[in-house]
Amino acid sequence: MKRREFLKIGGMGAITLFLSGCGLAALSGTEQASAVTIPEKGSVSGGKAMKIVVITSSPHPKNESTSCYLADRFTEGAKSAGHEVFTFDAANSDTHPCRGCDKCGMDGECIFKDDIENTLMPKMLEADMLVLVTPLYYYGMSAQLKIIVDRFYSRTSRLHGKKSLLMATAYNSADWTMEALASHYETLVRYMEWDNVGTVFAIGCGSRSLVERSDFGNQAQKIGENL
Ligand SMILES: Cc1cc2nc3c(=O)[nH]c(=O)nc-3n(C[C@H](O)[C@H](O)[C@H](O)COP(=O)(O)O)c2cc1C
């Protein structure tokens, strides 16, 4: 499926959406920067080097993905501040959706011995901070990321207390674009007893050139630098 098809199939409404998404957000990055809270330098980590797990979930090639661009900019900032970053590519890894079999008892091994269980979970368990990164798919997180989130089930309580950040990109630039995702994330943070560091919601960023021209990459990098 080509990147623009999501909007093409929507007819005139989608064309309006596409036009509004195409320019405005990229041009008004400063205005939107105000919606993002950049932490004060050292306020999140207390000046200690943190272990950070970044989970990306776009099926696009990394150098074309808008959400991976945000992940890269955040990572650049976090590494420059001395933090250790492990990145997991949920879209190109061996993952399986939770089957709800309850063999894990919410605190044990998963029946799937895939990349989530063998690679990601051990990294998440020892991490100080989890960063969820997603393209907006039908106003929620991507299925690729949701698979990871559902697999938190096997270690739910052991994943409590982490610091967290959500970054997302979307074509649409209307102010309500990220509402449903923001609400889901807020509830997730509450249930997981996470310490929310913030969100970067890159609206109007349906292509790599748009996100690169916007201010959202700077915001992501600054958050990483200031942890
Ligand atoms: C299956 C699918 C669903 C999408 N749903 C939305 C949507 O609900 N709202 C929106 O503004 N953009 C939507 N988009 C556009 C993507 O969010 C947007 O192109 C994003 O920049 C892609 O990020 P990526 O390059 O990191 O994958 C959708 C794209 C796809 C392929």
Side-chain angles (χ1 to χ4, degrees):
M1 186 182 183
K2 289 231 165 71
R3 301 184 67 175
R4 286 190 177 174
E5 277 176 14
F6 168 74
L7 294 161
K8 274 190 206 152
I9 55 173
M12 285 311 287
I15 290 168
T16 314
L17 218 141
F18 172 70
L19 290 175
S20 64
C22 228
L24 291 181
L27 292 174
S28 62
T30 326
E31 197 181 303
Q32 283 163 26
S34 59
V36 175
T37 309
I38 309 285
E40 295 220 358
K41 183 91 185 145
S43 61
V44 175
S45 63
K48 286 193 217 138
M50 294 196 298
K51 289 185 178 175
I52 302 172
V53 170
V54 174
I55 304 168
T56 62
S57 61
S58 169
H60 289 150
K62 194 174 180 298
N63 61 354
E64 290 174 24
S65 160
T66 60
S67 55
C68 289
Y69 175 74
L70 294 185
D72 285 347
R73 294 291 302 273
F74 167 84
T75 300
E76 203 180 322
K79 283 187 174 169
S80 75
H83 303 294
E84 185 184 314
V85 180
F86 172 80
T87 304
F88 185 81
D89 175 359
N92 292 291
S93 298
D94 177 31
T95 69
H96 297 81
C98 176
R99 293 186 58 164
C101 66
D102 243 329
K103 291 262 164 49
C104 63
M106 289 186 85
D107 189 27
E109 281 184 29
C110 179
I111 55 160
F112 292 117
K113 305 301 174 207
D114 57 7
D115 291 341
I116 301 179
E117 180 69 5
N118 294 332
T119 308
L120 177 62
M121 190 55 78
K123 289 285 185 188
M124 287 200 298
L125 289 171
E126 66 171 21
D128 302 294
M129 179 172 178
L130 306 178
V131 181
L132 309 182
V133 190
T134 184
L136 191 70
Y137 277 5
Y138 288 89
Y139 300 97
M141 66 178 69
S142 66
Q144 290 85 343
L145 181 59
K146 186 62 164 56
I147 286 177
I148 305 297
V149 170
D150 289 352
R151 292 279 298 276
F152 289 170
Y153 188 83
S154 70
R155 313 292 199 298
T156 295
S157 56
R158 286 204 262 157
L159 292 172
H160 282 180
K162 310 279 181 194
K163 297 171 201 322
S164 68
L165 175 74
L166 172 67
M167 300 196 290
T169 53
Y171 255 118
N172 193 6
S173 66
D175 58 2
W176 49 266
T177 301
M178 297 290 187
E179 268 179 19
L181 180 65
S183 173
H184 183 190
Y185 176 63
E186 193 186 326
T187 305
L188 189 63
V189 165
R190 185 175 184 166
Y191 175 67
M192 295 303 290
E193 299 177 16
W194 285 346
D195 179 7
N196 178 28
V197 172
T199 52
V200 177
F201 287 146
I203 56 174
C205 289
S207 71
R208 182 73 178 212
S209 61
L210 283 171
V211 74
E212 285 183 10
R213 278 192 281 141
S214 78
D215 193 49
F216 297 113
N218 295 334
Q219 294 167 17
Q221 183 161 348
K222 195 76 191 156
I223 292 174
E225 279 168 9
N226 276 15
L227 290 172

